[in-house]
Amino acid sequence: MRKIEPEEVYQKLYSAIKESGVILPKDVQEKIIHSMNSEAGLSKTVLTRILQNLDCASKNCLPMCQDTGMVLLFVEIGRDLDLSQVNLEEVIYKAVEDAYRDGSFRKSVVTDPLNERINSKNNLPPVIYYDFIQGDELKITGVLKGFGSENCSKVFMLKPTEGRNRVIEVVLETVKSAGGSPCPPTVLGIGIGGTMDYAAKLSKKALLREIDDINPDPYYKELEDDILKAVNSLNIGPGGLGGGVTSLGAKIEHYPTHIAGLPVAISVNCWADRKVKVVI
Amino acid sequence: MKHINLPLTEEIIENLTMGDEVLLTGTLLVGRDQAHKRLCELLDCGKSLPVELEGETIFYMGPSPAPKDFVIGACGPTTSSRMDAFTPKLLDKGLKGMIGKGPRYGDVAQSIVKNKAVYFYSFGGCGALYAEKVISSTVAAFDDLGPEAIRRLEVKDFPVIVAIDSRGNNIYS
């Protein structure tokens, strides 16, 4: 059994979170630059300002967006890993808290969603999903999830007979009703199958994929392409001011489901697609 | 590109048209969800407000903390529609300009026309860019709200786009 040091987990996660709020992943940045070629007018103006903003953020080491989000993490634990010496949750919490403090990130988490809504003042707790994987690695991936876009996310419990076209329709409904609110161009994570909650989890997992990767399943690759094309025909555009780039990518994760159901969850992320990835 | 000095006057507002790219210079107020709720509760009780709204422009924003040697942290707009329920009441009280992101719903567009006001789109997610446009930032009211407190900002060449003009032309429709 391989042992890991809590300090290593802390340092890597702390640095990844702190950097994530300031520097946009290269794949997303390149996609934005590439998108500009097809745009004109205000659409191009918005994309230009986004790129200027990224320069300002890295130059001044400031968060690219003041909504530095709620931290959502997938923690995948290798079965051959000895974690007996590591209080994983404690280490993760400390990394989140310290990164938000040292990075001058906004603390946006309230301790109770309804009663009083008092700010926890350290951006804790994060949302964490734990899973087991083969091997002896510890993998922590996730997003700093802004809520301008999260408020536009939705779950649909479709009828099993409604099928593919209805899936495309509900994604389009979601994107249309979101309009300019989630800071388009957005990234769409789509979870299909499982149960209501599991589809939602998958939709978040889908957000972790590289923006230009290709779904290995040809059926879902085609569905992703069709959804992206349809979304980008809505003329919502960057900032919602019109244009051909409403979303930078649409990614699907799927899972078996019940004969009576077809859960579809759509997680909307803003262009500030701030991802975290740590492998130990 | 139009250069405009705040506060907004009737003449300035009349000359603004949907889609105009504008650089704002001067002072503006900052307030978001909780501040709007409190202002409207005070108005409902017939009490006086801690800030004067007449002729003001309000920016829907809650900044990240200012690092050492910075005036303010990242300070881009938040989604405007969450303020829609409160906005007509503030416009009736003399508010002239709003800066945020995303479409407006309910009576907001109508109220903008009625009160000869203007709604500006600011670049969503561009908090670091806007931080460079802020010269000073002070808390003006509701200090206990932390990042949701009402602030007064002095800005220079603050880039926005006219989203709903005083004649009701709406970039989102």
Side-chain angles (χ1 to χ4, degrees), chain A residues 22 57 60-63 100-105, chain B residues 63-75 131:
Chain A
V22 178
N60 297 323
C61 209
L62 270 184
Y100 271 68
R101 183 196 58 229
D102 298 348
S104 297
F105 289 8
Chain B
S64 61
K68 201 173 167 288
D69 301 328
F70 281 75
V71 171
I72 198 166
C75 57

CSV table of all heavy atoms in Angstrom, one decimal, chain A residues 22 57 60-63 100-105, chain B residues 63-75 131:
chain,number,residue,atom,x,y,z
A,22,VAL,N,-7.2,32.8,-10.7
A,22,VAL,CA,-6.5,33.9,-11.4
A,22,VAL,C,-6.3,33.7,-12.9
A,22,VAL,O,-6.4,34.5,-13.7
A,22,VAL,CB,-5.2,34.2,-10.7
A,22,VAL,CG1,-4.4,35.3,-11.4
A,22,VAL,CG2,-5.4,34.6,-9.2
A,57,ALA,N,-5.8,40.2,-14.7
A,57,ALA,CA,-5.8,39.2,-13.6
A,57,ALA,C,-4.4,38.7,-13.3
A,57,ALA,O,-3.9,38.7,-12.2
A,57,ALA,CB,-6.8,38.1,-13.8
A,60,ASN,N,-1.8,41.4,-12.2
A,60,ASN,CA,-1.9,42.0,-10.9
A,60,ASN,C,-2.2,40.9,-9.8
A,60,ASN,O,-2.3,41.1,-8.7
A,60,ASN,CB,-3.1,42.9,-10.8
A,60,ASN,CG,-2.9,44.1,-11.7
A,60,ASN,OD1,-1.8,44.6,-11.8
A,60,ASN,ND2,-4.0,44.6,-12.4
A,61,CYS,N,-2.2,39.6,-10.3
A,61,CYS,CA,-2.5,38.5,-9.4
A,61,CYS,C,-3.8,38.7,-8.7
A,61,CYS,O,-3.9,38.5,-7.5
A,61,CYS,CB,-1.3,38.3,-8.4
A,61,CYS,SG,-1.2,36.6,-8.0
A,62,LEU,N,-4.8,39.2,-9.4
A,62,LEU,CA,-6.1,39.4,-8.9
A,62,LEU,C,-7.0,38.3,-9.4
A,62,LEU,O,-6.8,37.8,-10.5
A,62,LEU,CB,-6.7,40.7,-9.4
A,62,LEU,CG,-6.5,42.0,-8.6
A,62,LEU,CD1,-7.2,43.1,-9.3
A,62,LEU,CD2,-6.9,41.9,-7.2
A,63,PRO,N,-8.1,37.9,-8.7
A,63,PRO,CA,-9.1,37.0,-9.2
A,63,PRO,C,-9.6,37.5,-10.5
A,63,PRO,O,-9.9,38.8,-10.6
A,63,PRO,CB,-10.2,36.9,-8.2
A,63,PRO,CG,-9.6,37.4,-6.9
A,63,PRO,CD,-8.5,38.3,-7.3
A,100,TYR,N,-8.2,30.8,-0.3
A,100,TYR,CA,-9.2,31.9,-0.4
A,100,TYR,C,-8.7,33.1,0.3
A,100,TYR,O,-8.8,34.2,-0.1
A,100,TYR,CB,-10.6,31.5,0.0
A,100,TYR,CG,-11.4,30.9,-1.2
A,100,TYR,CD1,-11.0,29.7,-1.8
A,100,TYR,CD2,-12.4,31.6,-1.7
A,100,TYR,CE1,-11.7,29.2,-2.8
A,100,TYR,CE2,-13.1,31.1,-2.8
A,100,TYR,CZ,-12.7,29.9,-3.4
A,100,TYR,OH,-13.4,29.4,-4.5
A,101,ARG,N,-8.0,32.9,1.5
A,101,ARG,CA,-7.5,34.0,2.2
A,101,ARG,C,-6.3,34.6,1.5
A,101,ARG,O,-6.3,35.8,1.2
A,101,ARG,CB,-7.1,33.5,3.7
A,101,ARG,CG,-6.6,34.6,4.6
A,101,ARG,CD,-5.9,34.1,5.8
A,101,ARG,NE,-4.8,33.2,5.4
A,101,ARG,CZ,-4.5,32.0,5.8
A,101,ARG,NH1,-5.3,31.4,6.7
A,101,ARG,NH2,-3.5,31.3,5.4
A,102,ASP,N,-5.3,33.8,1.2
A,102,ASP,CA,-4.1,34.3,0.6
A,102,ASP,C,-4.3,34.8,-0.8
A,102,ASP,O,-3.5,35.7,-1.2
A,102,ASP,CB,-3.0,33.2,0.6
A,102,ASP,CG,-2.7,32.7,2.0
A,102,ASP,OD1,-3.1,33.4,3.0
A,102,ASP,OD2,-2.0,31.7,2.2
A,103,GLY,N,-5.2,34.3,-1.5
A,103,GLY,CA,-5.5,34.8,-2.9
A,103,GLY,C,-6.4,36.0,-2.9
A,103,GLY,O,-6.7,36.4,-4.0
A,104,SER,N,-6.8,36.5,-1.8
A,104,SER,CA,-7.8,37.6,-1.7
A,104,SER,C,-9.0,37.3,-2.5
A,104,SER,O,-9.5,38.1,-3.3
A,104,SER,CB,-7.2,38.9,-2.2
A,104,SER,OG,-6.1,39.3,-1.4
A,105,PHE,N,-9.5,36.1,-2.4
A,105,PHE,CA,-10.7,35.6,-3.1
A,105,PHE,C,-11.9,36.1,-2.2
A,105,PHE,O,-11.8,36.1,-1.0
A,105,PHE,CB,-10.7,34.1,-3.2
A,105,PHE,CG,-9.8,33.6,-4.2
A,105,PHE,CD1,-8.8,34.3,-4.9
A,105,PHE,CD2,-9.9,32.2,-4.6
A,105,PHE,CE1,-7.9,33.8,-5.8
A,105,PHE,CE2,-9.0,31.6,-5.5
A,105,PHE,CZ,-8.0,32.4,-6.1
B,63,PRO,N,-17.4,43.1,-4.3
B,63,PRO,CA,-16.0,42.9,-4.7
B,63,PRO,C,-15.3,41.8,-3.9
B,63,PRO,O,-15.8,41.4,-2.8
B,63,PRO,CB,-15.3,44.2,-4.3
B,63,PRO,CG,-16.1,44.8,-3.2
B,63,PRO,CD,-17.6,44.3,-3.4
B,64,SER,N,-14.2,41.3,-4.4
B,64,SER,CA,-13.4,40.4,-3.6
B,64,SER,C,-12.5,41.3,-2.8
B,64,SER,O,-12.4,42.5,-3.1
B,64,SER,CB,-12.6,39.5,-4.5
B,64,SER,OG,-11.7,40.2,-5.4
B,65,PRO,N,-11.9,40.8,-1.7
B,65,PRO,CA,-11.1,41.7,-0.8
B,65,PRO,C,-10.0,42.4,-1.6
B,65,PRO,O,-9.4,41.8,-2.4
B,65,PRO,CB,-10.6,40.8,0.3
B,65,PRO,CG,-11.4,39.5,0.1
B,65,PRO,CD,-11.9,39.4,-1.3
B,66,ALA,N,-9.7,43.6,-1.2
B,66,ALA,CA,-8.6,44.3,-1.8
B,66,ALA,C,-7.2,43.8,-1.3
B,66,ALA,O,-7.0,43.8,-0.1
B,66,ALA,CB,-8.6,45.8,-1.5
B,67,PRO,N,-6.4,43.3,-2.1
B,67,PRO,CA,-5.0,42.9,-1.7
B,67,PRO,C,-4.3,44.1,-1.2
B,67,PRO,O,-4.7,45.3,-1.5
B,67,PRO,CB,-4.4,42.3,-2.9
B,67,PRO,CG,-5.5,42.1,-3.9
B,67,PRO,CD,-6.5,43.1,-3.6
B,68,LYS,N,-3.2,43.9,-0.5
B,68,LYS,CA,-2.3,45.0,0.0
B,68,LYS,C,-2.0,45.9,-1.2
B,68,LYS,O,-1.7,45.4,-2.3
B,68,LYS,CB,-1.1,44.4,0.6
B,68,LYS,CG,-0.4,45.4,1.5
B,68,LYS,CD,0.8,44.6,2.2
B,68,LYS,CE,1.7,45.6,3.0
B,68,LYS,NZ,2.5,46.4,2.1
B,69,ASP,N,-2.0,47.2,-1.0
B,69,ASP,CA,-1.7,48.2,-2.0
B,69,ASP,C,-2.7,48.3,-3.2
B,69,ASP,O,-2.4,49.0,-4.2
B,69,ASP,CB,-0.3,48.0,-2.6
B,69,ASP,CG,0.8,48.0,-1.6
B,69,ASP,OD1,0.6,48.7,-0.6
B,69,ASP,OD2,1.8,47.2,-1.7
B,70,PHE,N,-3.8,47.7,-3.1
B,70,PHE,CA,-4.9,47.8,-4.1
B,70,PHE,C,-6.1,48.6,-3.4
B,70,PHE,O,-6.3,48.5,-2.2
B,70,PHE,CB,-5.4,46.5,-4.5
B,70,PHE,CG,-4.6,45.8,-5.5
B,70,PHE,CD1,-3.4,45.2,-5.2
B,70,PHE,CD2,-4.9,45.7,-6.9
B,70,PHE,CE1,-2.5,44.5,-6.1
B,70,PHE,CE2,-4.1,45.1,-7.8
B,70,PHE,CZ,-2.9,44.5,-7.4
B,71,VAL,N,-6.7,49.4,-4.3
B,71,VAL,CA,-7.9,50.2,-3.8
B,71,VAL,C,-9.1,49.2,-3.6
B,71,VAL,O,-9.9,49.4,-2.7
B,71,VAL,CB,-8.3,51.2,-4.9
B,71,VAL,CG1,-9.6,51.9,-4.6
B,71,VAL,CG2,-7.2,52.2,-5.0
B,72,ILE,N,-9.2,48.2,-4.5
B,72,ILE,CA,-10.3,47.3,-4.4
B,72,ILE,C,-9.8,46.0,-5.0
B,72,ILE,O,-8.8,46.0,-5.7
B,72,ILE,CB,-11.5,47.9,-5.2
B,72,ILE,CG1,-12.8,47.2,-4.8
B,72,ILE,CG2,-11.3,47.9,-6.7
B,72,ILE,CD1,-14.1,47.9,-5.3
B,73,GLY,N,-10.5,44.9,-4.7
B,73,GLY,CA,-10.2,43.6,-5.4
B,73,GLY,C,-10.9,43.5,-6.7
B,73,GLY,O,-11.4,44.5,-7.3
B,74,ALA,N,-11.1,42.3,-7.2
B,74,ALA,CA,-11.9,42.1,-8.4
B,74,ALA,C,-13.3,42.6,-8.2
B,74,ALA,O,-13.9,42.4,-7.2
B,74,ALA,CB,-11.9,40.6,-8.8
B,75,CYS,N,-13.8,43.3,-9.2
B,75,CYS,CA,-15.1,44.0,-9.0
B,75,CYS,C,-15.9,44.1,-10.3
B,75,CYS,O,-16.3,45.2,-10.7
B,75,CYS,CB,-14.8,45.4,-8.4
B,75,CYS,SG,-13.8,46.5,-9.4
B,131,ALA,N,-11.2,46.4,-11.8
B,131,ALA,CA,-10.4,46.8,-10.6
B,131,ALA,C,-9.4,47.9,-11.0
B,131,ALA,O,-9.1,48.9,-10.3
B,131,ALA,CB,-9.7,45.7,-10.0
